[in-house]
Amino acid sequence: MTIDVAAEPLVAVVRGAWSTARGTIVVPAGFHLTDVTAQTGTLSAQVTDPTGARFGIRVPLPKATRWEGRVQGGEGTSEHWALWSVIVPLMAELETDAARRLPPDADGVRWVTP
């Protein structure tokens, strides 16, 4: 497995956005972010729900130039991307009874499609 070192700041941003959103309507209590990695142009995030079921999402990494000159946290920033491209699509899918709809892979993770 090759880690995308240039994308490591995005991993931290996703973790930070999760922490900020946790306990809100976006990320209800009981959901835990268990893994965030970036490799080969893709960011993967995994969570567990209150029952311990594991879910994940894979999204393409954006181009770094996208955020040059942007105000931190505003539209078009890495924080905005983390929330609207990773966390919201994942949690929206989990609201639709994903445990019944999505079969687990060999590792027990149910992958949602953004």
Side-chain angles (χ1 to χ4, degrees), residues 37-112:
T37 59
Q39 58 187 3
T40 322
T42 302
L43 183 129
S44 299
Q46 293 183 33
V47 302
T48 56
D49 72 4
T51 69
R54 296 170 52 204
F55 299 91
I57 189 169
R58 292 182 182 112
V59 297
L61 290 169
K63 295 188 182 344
T65 57
R66 177 178 181 168
W67 299 302
E68 290 178 3
R70 303 289 179 146
V71 175
Q72 185 174 0
E75 187 173 340
T77 64
S78 56
E79 294 88 356
H80 187 266
W81 175 84
L83 182 63
W84 292 103
S85 296
V86 180
I87 296 170
V88 169
L90 175 59
M91 297 311 295
E93 281 295 318
L94 298 186
E95 289 180 354
T96 61
D97 199 17
R100 284 204 174 121
R101 291 185 305 103
L102 302 170
D105 67 6
D107 294 324
V109 179
R110 292 171 167 86
W111 292 96
V112 303

